[in-house]
Amino acid sequence: MNNLLATMCYIDNGDSYLMLKRNKKENDIHEGLTISVGGKFEIGESPEDCVIREVKEETNLDIIKPKLRGIITFPNFDGNKDWYTYVFTAKDYTGNLTKDCNEGDLVWIKKNEIQNIKTWEGDYIFLDWLVQDKPFFSAKFNYKDNKFIDYEVTFYD
């Protein structure tokens, strides 16, 4: 089985997270959902290299000292691969937000309104951990045919 390594990043301006409403890519498993910015590793990249590059490509922002908040495993997520995803937040950044992301529309979502967005069901759970500033976590979120089944998590102090 092939594995997919990826990053996700929630840029934090204090009361909101910068997120991406996916509506521009063809055959997009995330189409119509509002999710993090981020993406797949390129050869030789560390998680930090990947998240910094992906955020720059999608937002035109340069994040400074992204904070690794957890790791999530999505077994057989797309019916083909296990996805291993490094979850980051970033409070410090420079640059001007692009108005033309090729994957969708960039939107600031207030932290107290996250439960109202259309996203993956499991995302509501770990986004709540980020908002509550829970300790570093390792989690596994199980989906079958794009339907959320259950999850397991371990928090580390």
Side-chain angles (χ1 to χ4, degrees), residues 29-52:
I29 194 169
H30 307 294
E31 184 175 359
L33 302 178
T34 302
I35 63 169
S36 70
V37 296
K40 299 175 188 99
F41 279 58
E42 292 184 354
I43 293 173
E45 284 187 319
S46 69
E48 293 77 14
D49 294 337
C50 179
V51 75
I52 290 167

Side-chain angles (χ1 to χ4, degrees), residues 1 73-83 143-145:
M1 176 180 286
T73 304
F74 296 97
N76 200 31
F77 184 69
D78 59 3
N80 189 32
K81 297 179 180 94
D82 288 351
W83 292 21
Y143 285 82
K144 183 170 181 162
D145 300 323

Side-chain angles (χ1 to χ4, degrees), residues 114-126:
I114 286 173
Q115 299 300 321
N116 300 326
I117 64 172
K118 184 178 178 186
T119 193
W120 293 102
E121 189 174 343
D123 287 20
Y124 297 118
I125 296 167
F126 71 79

Side-chain angles (χ1 to χ4, degrees), residues 92-135:
D92 297 319
Y93 54 91
T94 61
N96 295 311
L97 189 62
T98 185
K99 296 187 186 318
D100 189 32
C101 175
N102 65 356
E103 295 187 11
D105 298 321
L106 294 164
V107 291
W108 288 100
I109 304 293
K110 292 199 175 296
K111 293 176 186 178
N112 63 2
E113 295 177 5
I114 286 173
Q115 299 300 321
N116 300 326
I117 64 172
K118 184 178 178 186
T119 193
W120 293 102
E121 189 174 343
D123 287 20
Y124 297 118
I125 296 167
F126 71 79
L127 279 163
D128 191 50
W129 300 340
L130 298 179
V131 169
Q132 291 183 37
D133 201 25
K134 294 275 190 184

